[in-house]
Amino acid sequence: MLKNYIKVALRGFSKNKSATIINIAGLSIGLACFIMIFVYVQVELSYDTFHKDYEKIYRVTTIDQALGVSSNNVGITNPIMTVEAKNNLSEITASTRMLNNGRTRMENGDDVTYAENAKYGESSFFELFNFPLLEGSDTAKFNAPRKLIMTEALAKKTFKKDKAIGKVLRIDDEDWEVVGVMKDSEEKSHLEMDLLMSIYPTQADSSFSQYLNGWAGLGMLGYIKINDPSHAESVERKMNELAHSNDVPDFWITKLQPLADAHLKSSGILFDGNNANKGDIVYVYSLSAIALFVILIAAFNFMNLATAKSSTRAKEVGVRKVMGAQKQSLVTQHLGESILLCFISMIIALLLCLLGSPYMNLGFEGNILLHLISNPGLLILIVLITLAIGVLAGIYPAFVLSNFNSINILRGKFQTSRSGILLRKILVVLQFVASVTLIIATLFITRQLEFIKNKNLGFSKDQVLTIQMNDPGLSQNMAAFRDKLDQYDQITAVSMSNNMPGRTFGRTGVTPEGVPEEEENWIVSALSFDENYLDVMDMEIVEGRNYSKEFGTDQQEAILVNEAFVEQVGWDEAVGKKLTMGNNQERTIVGVVKNFHFASMRHAIEPLIMFYNPGPNGNISMRIKSDISETVSQVAGVWNEVYPDYPFEYQFFDEEFAQMFQADEEFSELVMNFTWLAIFIACLGLFGLSAYMAEQRRKEIGIRKVLGSSVKQAVVLLSKEFVLLIMIANIIAFPLSYLAVKSWIGDFQYKIDLLSGSALLTFALAGVIALTIGLFTVSYQSIAAAVANPVNSLRSE
């Protein structure tokens, strides 16, 4: 019996080659898109879930409610918070704290290597996190000053084939001993590091020891493990009570973030440099919705064609019923054919994933099929979805045909079934609702990214070359290096600063002159630079003056602020006003700098104070003229002259600043790719359906032409139904897409207006695109039917 079913199915596929190819192509591409997005989502959701008891581990963050701060969620806490919380709260079973050290220079005799992502940490780090140690499993040895644990890759890079344990490296003129080697992990974690340095101070580090054992300031990365996740709110409340009882300001509120949320739910958190490659849960939701749209379009397409083509087999069913076929066997035959087609499509989809995933930037490396095999639950889900599509696509024609009266079937009455026509119309509308929604989302995502990239930043990022000078060994000759560069005509200005826009700015407490006593707790962002910085960055003074060497007291007594500072304090004029720093030192405002974006567009421009520091600082930046390659060569020559023992490493600031938009760009690219694939799938279905409808009305068109109808009238007759369906789809899709885009765009402080004239034109453009694509798809079949010789279609009459 099974053999007979398969023979009949293959005979049917062969007889209807075009419909079979369209069905398999559309469903294969749809399943491939769904699989790739699902793997991407699964990888994003897997961050930090490999740690034992990860659901009990929390990251300690802070809500900074001080005046002057609008982006108030920060990924740091008080230095001693986790230690004291562990000692005082029985619910906390383990805790650890860390500090970022960034790129770190290590000397192994005459050889120099760099750790790209170094952190200070405690031995308790390994009580919370499962980063296995290949060597030095006794972490107690790390519980001492000047000890190192490095990754396997860094150990090979530093010591080649030599054993790392026991080796001594020179870092910042101090000897550090390697006591452990971590296994290179393929697991995804928000904590990425290649070097862990013991945070424990020596006796000579009295100031650092005092910092670690105090509550002052925010700057530490903290993690705790609690005995029961249901106690998290209670623990959070007790940690706040503990902090405030130790004179921590009331406007600093401790928060606990589940470890599994650190990667995807931290897009609004500042001071989050330890959070490597952090994602955005909105992107995961958005791409999940796109995966759902794509698979629905593919499924509707498959169901639509299966339903439409079933009528061509109505006479076959009628003959079978007359010959004694039972209802069960007819249902089994149709369902079996549908499911067989779906599983053929699934196999092709897996091959498409293998070929296409390297070009889709899905956030993981390696073979996607191996990834699926290593995640059997995901593979089972894909099989179940394929089976469900097969059943849903086959169940309507199977039961309708098997229930139809055989005499009516043989008379052809099934072909005019209103239920079949209505179902096909509903499926076409749903397909284009999904397609139009995706088109609108793609257009608005592109517009928003162009808006933030082209927005006036308050500075010029082009033609600026930067060199990070954070290594202590570089500070001694930094001024000499700057002065030598200043002699070249191709360099218009050179500056030393502690930071650049786009990087995280530090914050400090100030008290502006004249504010009420209850408003004295102002926390503002801070930047320091020399007198050339504003020229290098092409920033504008809107009131007062810039720093100058001619004013000998600027470094000790003067301060610059931005427009946002003046606006939030409420001053009409700022020059001459006083600011009191945390050490009760008073400074006079000598100038106001025009607002510039020093954080991403997801954050509003906050109050900023700018200190004068004409001495060595952590960054050198220079504005260069048109001959870039020659100027870079000149800078390299000066570098090698001043710093012969250090590699020359530089970056163009526009490229660095563009990295702020990298995640958004990648998301936009993914959405665009999957949108066009979804539209292609919908068009495949529309093409097949229009061919079927043209065939169904072939004799009607022949009669109309004999009676004098023109080709144009025939084309309109066949196309107008699809135009109406697409217009209905547009009407439904517009409000749905508006809500979807509004939700995504809500993360940005600076965004396009979704109700502006140009935005409304974008909605209209999406509708026109969908209508054009639909008309273009059906026009081939419509024109072919309209120009056909009516004699051929009426010959059998």
Side-chain angles (χ1 to χ4, degrees):
M1 181 67 73
L2 179 62
K3 184 178 179 180
N4 182 54
Y5 282 155
I6 293 174
K7 278 185 177 180
V8 172
L10 294 177
R11 191 181 299 126
F13 297 161
S14 177
K15 185 179 178 181
N16 298 286
K17 291 186 179 69
S18 60
T20 302
I21 291 171
I22 289 174
N23 262 330
I24 291 177
L27 191 56
S28 298
I29 296 171
L31 280 170
C33 293
F34 179 83
I35 292 168
M36 286 189 283
I37 293 177
F38 206 91
V39 169
Y40 167 85
V41 170
Q42 192 266 341
V43 169
E44 288 292 289
L45 294 175
S46 70
Y47 271 70
D48 291 305
T49 56
F50 66 95
H51 299 296
K52 182 181 178 182
D53 297 330
Y54 73 89
E55 70 279 358
K56 297 181 180 180
I57 302 173
Y58 291 81
R59 184 165 72 136
V60 184
T61 65
T62 306
I63 301 293
D64 188 348
Q65 296 181 332
L67 295 171
V69 174
S70 57
S71 302
N72 58 5
N73 198 350
V74 295
I76 48 180
T77 186
N78 310 105
I80 203 171
M81 169 62 86
T82 56
V83 176
E84 287 296 293
K86 166 79 166 49
N87 292 337
N88 287 276
L89 304 181
S90 59
E91 298 94 333
I92 299 178
T93 60
S95 71
T96 196
R97 51 184 174 169
M98 306 175 73
L99 279 173
N100 279 327
N101 198 50
R103 195 165 190 264
T104 301
R105 188 174 190 265
M106 305 181 299
E107 298 177 15
N108 179 26
D110 293 333
D111 295 331
V112 175
T113 53
Y114 283 87
E116 299 300 330
N117 197 344
K119 290 179 172 64
Y120 289 99
E122 299 174 310
S123 58
S124 56
F125 174 84
F126 295 97
E127 295 179 27
L128 280 80
F129 302 109
N130 295 120
F131 292 104
L133 290 169
L134 292 176
E135 301 177 48
S137 57
D138 183 8
T139 57
K141 292 181 179 179
F142 188 68
N143 193 16
R146 306 292 186 263
K147 304 298 180 184
L148 297 175
I149 294 176
M150 58 176 54
T151 60
E152 184 181 3
L154 183 59
K156 289 178 181 178
K157 176 182 173 183
T158 305
F159 302 110
K160 308 300 186 288
K161 296 181 179 180
D162 293 342
K163 192 173 182 179
I165 296 293
K167 291 290 194 302
V168 175
L169 295 172
R170 195 79 173 165
I171 300 175
D172 296 343
D173 294 326
E174 298 280 352
D175 289 334
W176 291 72
E177 180 188 0
V178 179
V179 296
V181 176
M182 282 188 291
K183 182 181 178 181
D184 293 336
S185 176
E186 295 182 359
E187 301 285 358
K188 294 290 187 178
S189 174
H190 82 288
L191 281 172
E192 286 189 4
M193 72 190 85
D194 53 5
L195 184 67
L196 188 62
M197 309 168 67
S198 64
I199 202 170
Y200 310 104
T202 63
Q203 291 183 348
D205 296 331
S206 58
S207 58
F208 187 48
S209 177
Q210 185 178 1
Y211 169 76
L212 290 176
N213 292 302
W215 289 92
L218 299 174
M220 192 68 65
L221 313 177
Y223 299 86
I224 62 170
K225 184 176 181 179
I226 62 179
N227 53 14
D228 187 342
S230 64
H231 296 159
E233 288 188 14
S234 172
V235 170
E236 186 178 89
R237 185 179 64 254
K238 292 177 182 179
M239 290 176 71
N240 276 295
E241 292 172 356
L242 178 64
H244 297 152
S245 68
N246 284 277
D247 297 326
V248 171
D250 292 340
F251 52 77
W252 284 345
I253 310 299
T254 297
K255 301 293 291 183
L256 296 181
Q257 182 187 47
L259 182 65
D261 291 349
H263 173 63
L264 287 175
K265 297 184 179 180
S266 300
S267 61
I269 296 180
L270 293 178
F271 298 91
D272 203 20
N274 68 305
N275 197 346
N277 304 313
K278 65 180 178 181
D280 192 330
I281 192 65
V282 173
Y283 291 169
V284 172
Y285 291 152
S286 301
L287 286 171
S288 299
I290 290 171
L292 181 62
F293 279 174
V294 170
I295 199 65
L296 285 177
I297 289 172
F300 292 162
N301 176 29
F302 188 86
M303 293 165 64
N304 218 346
L305 289 176
T307 305
K309 281 295 178 183
S310 64
S311 63
T312 63
R313 300 182 62 186
K315 289 185 179 180
E316 173 196 337
V317 173
V319 171
R320 282 175 172 270
K321 293 190 75 172
V322 168
M323 298 296 292
Q326 299 296 313
K327 177 179 177 180
Q328 182 181 355
S329 65
L330 292 172
V331 170
T332 303
Q333 175 70 45
H334 282 276
L335 281 177
E337 290 180 13
S338 178
I339 292 170
L340 178 60
L341 268 182
C342 285
F343 275 93
I344 292 172
S345 300
M346 185 189 74
I347 293 170
I348 296 174
L350 291 172
L351 294 176
L352 290 175
C353 288
L354 182 63
L355 297 173
S357 59
Y359 305 99
M360 299 300 285
N361 195 15
L362 297 173
F364 71 95
E365 298 177 358
N367 189 316
I368 191 171
L369 297 187
L370 293 178
H371 183 85
L372 290 171
I373 292 170
S374 64
N375 292 270
L378 186 58
L379 202 56
I380 291 171
L381 178 63
I382 293 167
V383 171
L384 290 176
I385 289 173
T386 304
L387 180 63
I389 294 173
V391 171
L392 290 172
I395 200 166
Y396 178 84
F399 280 96
V400 170
L401 283 172
S402 62
N403 282 324
F404 227 63
N405 184 284
S406 57
I407 296 176
N408 290 334
I409 292 177
L410 294 174
R411 286 177 176 173
K413 289 190 176 180
F414 179 81
Q415 292 184 350
T416 59
S417 168
R418 291 185 177 182
S419 61
I421 294 172
L422 179 61
L423 176 63
R424 290 195 292 275
K425 287 181 177 180
I426 291 172
L427 292 178
V428 168
V429 169
L430 290 176
Q431 277 186 319
F432 273 86
V433 167
S435 298
V436 173
T437 300
L438 288 177
I439 292 172
I440 292 173
T442 301
L443 292 175
F444 275 112
I445 288 171
T446 303
R447 281 194 60 191
Q448 173 63 18
L449 292 181
E450 287 300 313
F451 172 77
I452 61 177
K453 286 166 63 177
N454 297 321
K455 188 179 184 298
N456 184 359
L457 298 170
F459 60 84
S460 175
K461 63 183 184 297
D462 300 321
Q463 304 289 103
V464 175
L465 185 147
T466 64
I467 305 173
Q468 294 200 36
M469 311 287 285
N470 294 320
D471 194 303
L474 299 175
S475 61
Q476 185 175 357
N477 296 319
M478 193 171 177
F481 177 61
R482 178 198 59 188
D483 293 342
K484 286 178 178 288
L485 293 176
D486 224 1
Q487 298 173 9
Y488 288 90
D489 293 336
Q490 286 293 326
I491 299 175
T492 60
V494 186
S495 172
M496 297 186 293
S497 63
N498 74 330
N499 222 325
M500 294 290 287
R503 305 174 193 169
T504 301
F505 281 18
R507 288 173 173 172
T508 189
V510 298
T511 302
E513 176 185 330
V515 299
E517 185 176 344
E518 65 272 13
E519 293 184 8
E520 288 184 354
N521 295 318
W522 282 73
I523 301 290
V524 297
S525 297
L527 174 67
S528 70
F529 49 67
D530 62 20
E531 67 278 1
N532 299 322
Y533 186 78
L534 299 185
D535 292 333
V536 170
M537 299 304 298
D538 198 17
M539 293 176 179
E540 183 182 345
I541 292 281
V542 294
E543 182 184 348
R545 63 173 177 85
N546 186 17
Y547 291 125
S548 173
K549 289 183 178 180
E550 297 178 2
F551 296 88
T553 60
D554 273 3
Q555 188 170 3
Q556 291 77 31
E557 300 178 5
I559 196 77
L560 294 177
V561 298
N562 68 345
E563 290 176 303
F565 188 101
V566 179
E567 181 181 348
Q568 288 208 23
V569 175
W571 288 330
D572 293 328
E573 293 184 0
V575 173
K577 292 289 196 300
K578 306 288 185 181
L579 294 182
T580 303
M581 304 293 131
N583 55 4
N584 290 323
Q585 182 190 20
E586 218 174 51
R587 289 178 178 262
T588 303
I589 296 174
V590 298
V592 178
V593 179
K594 187 176 182 179
N595 278 342
F596 62 92
H597 289 275
F598 54 90
S600 78
M601 297 296 174
R602 297 178 186 272
H603 304 283
I605 297 177
E606 295 187 345
L608 174 69
I609 60 174
M610 292 152 275
F611 295 93
Y612 181 44
N613 181 10
N617 225 321
N619 187 85
I620 276 189
S621 54
M622 64 200 78
R623 178 164 294 278
I624 60 180
K625 295 181 181 178
S626 57
D627 197 343
I628 295 175
S629 58
E630 180 183 346
T631 306
V632 171
S633 297
Q634 292 173 342
V635 175
V638 176
W639 177 273
N640 293 329
E641 178 185 341
V642 179
Y643 301 113
D645 297 328
Y646 290 82
F648 175 57
E649 297 173 331
Y650 68 93
Q651 190 169 18
F652 284 102
F653 180 62
D654 58 343
E655 297 175 355
E656 177 188 341
F657 197 77
Q659 292 174 6
M660 293 175 60
F661 311 109
Q662 183 176 351
D664 296 314
E665 293 277 10
E666 291 173 355
F667 171 69
S668 173
E669 185 178 344
L670 277 175
V671 171
M672 187 173 296
N673 289 338
F674 288 121
T675 295
W676 290 120
L677 287 172
I679 293 169
F680 177 72
I681 296 167
C683 289
L684 275 178
L686 200 60
F687 182 84
L689 192 59
S690 62
Y692 161 76
M693 294 185 70
E695 177 64 23
Q696 289 287 91
R697 305 182 72 171
R698 181 171 56 89
K699 290 181 180 179
E700 176 190 346
I701 297 299
I703 293 171
R704 286 177 177 271
K705 290 190 70 175
V706 168
L707 294 175
S709 178
S710 66
V711 172
K712 179 181 177 182
Q713 289 172 323
V715 171
V716 171
L717 177 69
L718 291 173
S719 302
K720 67 179 181 180
E721 183 176 339
F722 292 107
V723 171
L724 178 62
L725 294 178
I726 294 172
M727 291 179 69
I728 293 172
N730 281 335
I731 294 170
I732 298 172
F734 287 166
L736 291 178
S737 56
Y738 171 81
L739 293 175
V741 173
K742 184 180 178 181
S743 175
W744 175 76
I745 213 172
D747 277 353
F748 295 86
Q749 289 291 328
Y750 303 92
K751 52 199 171 188
I752 56 177
D753 182 1
L754 295 181
L755 296 177
S756 66
S758 60
L760 295 177
L761 285 175
T762 302
F763 282 102
L765 176 63
V768 171
I769 290 173
L771 187 59
T772 302
I773 291 173
L775 280 174
F776 183 79
T777 303
V778 302
S779 62
Y780 174 81
Q781 299 292 353
S782 301
I783 293 171
V787 300
N789 190 336
V791 174
N792 296 328
S793 61
L794 297 175
R795 184 172 293 164
S796 62
E797 293 298 321

